[in-house]
Amino acid sequence: MNNAKILELPLTAYEEVHGLQKRLVSMRLSGELDDDVVILVEHPPVYTLGKRGGRENIVVSEAFLNEQGISVVQTERGGNITWHGPGQLVAYPIVNLDEAHMGVADFVGSLEQVMIETLDALGVSARSDAVNRGVWVGDAKIGSVGIRVNHGVSFHGLALNVAPDLTFFSWINPCGLSVAMTTAEQELGCKVSMTAARSEMKRAFGALFSGGVVEMTLNELNGYSSALCWSWT
């Protein structure tokens, strides 16, 4: 695959990062941005819906979610409903698959492998499943994948449960399935550092891209386009 930049963000609202992804896709398509970009981030609690829907898989009332301060956001990615929140490491690869000569199925498999390698480095043995995509520990799901491809450029991505509160998953049928969810902390029975998880995921992405990955700051990203001028709040 191509060279890539890694952009690490702190805890940032889902909608803000979604907007950033779409602008990066436009820049990648126009040639304004030559390299692929991988965003690493955590979000405040939010449920996101894929193209297959998902509101029917919310098992609590809208009033309850409002009381909890959790929004439900419709997206254009594949898949069904999922949750994002603190303790879950999310990666959004903005990748020109046409330039990489890679099909969607192979790319999804590569993202699953990134999660498997990250977990392996943390001490958790995980696997992929050709029928139910994502990453699994036994019969429990620990990582999800959901992408969208716009004229050959991918966005959305993967979500890995490092140390989140699993209570939020009990309020939905994750990915439209009646399935148990797990975390790296739960599997290991001890605290897992999000800093360590980020470091291991960066290493795993470095192995995925032929030219490796180089860390990028937000100022450097803004330097690609005077129209971008993006900052987190």
Side-chain angles (χ1 to χ4, degrees), residues 12-163:
T12 308
Y14 179 85
E15 293 90 341
E16 290 186 49
V17 182
H18 184 218
L20 175 60
Q21 288 182 73
K22 291 194 288 186
R23 290 192 286 276
L24 289 172
V25 169
S26 295
M27 292 169 66
R28 197 71 179 88
L29 286 170
S30 70
E32 194 171 3
L33 187 60
D34 292 329
D35 292 331
D36 296 324
V37 176
V38 178
I39 302 169
L40 292 185
V41 67
E42 291 174 70
H43 295 303
V46 62
Y47 292 113
T48 67
L49 308 176
K51 290 174 64 179
R52 295 180 189 173
R55 284 190 179 273
E56 70 280 5
N57 285 304
I58 300 174
V59 298
V60 294
S61 69
E62 185 174 343
F64 177 80
L65 292 181
N66 289 336
E67 289 174 4
Q68 301 298 318
I70 304 176
S71 59
V72 179
V73 179
Q74 181 67 56
T75 78
E76 63 278 88
R77 65 163 169 79
N80 203 291
I81 191 170
T82 195
W83 172 84
H84 298 307
Q88 183 189 74
L89 183 53
V90 182
Y92 298 117
I94 314 302
V95 174
N96 191 317
L97 297 179
D98 288 344
E99 287 186 6
H101 305 294
M102 179 174 280
V104 172
D106 287 339
F107 182 60
V108 169
S110 294
L111 297 184
E112 291 170 340
Q113 189 61 32
V114 164
M115 289 191 283
I116 290 169
E117 291 178 9
T118 300
L119 289 167
D120 184 65
L122 295 174
V124 178
S125 178
R127 62 176 178 84
S128 59
D129 187 314
V131 176
N132 294 311
R133 303 311 299 249
V135 173
W136 303 75
V137 178
D139 293 328
K141 194 169 190 179
I142 195 169
S144 301
V145 179
I147 68 167
R148 174 67 182 261
V149 179
N150 182 4
H151 299 290
V153 176
S154 75
F155 62 121
H156 295 283
L158 63 85
L160 180 63
N161 294 337
V162 178

Side-chain angles (χ1 to χ4, degrees), residues 145-193:
V145 179
I147 68 167
R148 174 67 182 261
V149 179
N150 182 4
H151 299 290
V153 176
S154 75
F155 62 121
H156 295 283
L158 63 85
L160 180 63
N161 294 337
V162 178
D165 181 350
L166 291 178
T167 302
F168 296 99
F169 285 107
S170 71
W171 299 338
I172 62 171
N173 294 318
C175 305
L177 303 172
S178 179
V179 63
M181 302 295 290
T182 190
T183 72
E185 278 198 352
Q186 183 167 285
E187 294 302 316
L188 293 171
C190 62
K191 291 290 184 182
V192 178
S193 161

Side-chain angles (χ1 to χ4, degrees), residues 8 37 39 45 56 120 123 127 180 195 204 214 218 220 232:
E8 286 201 73
V37 176
I39 302 169
E56 70 280 5
D120 184 65
R127 62 176 178 84
T195 300
V214 176
L218 200 57
E220 289 171 332
W232 63 72

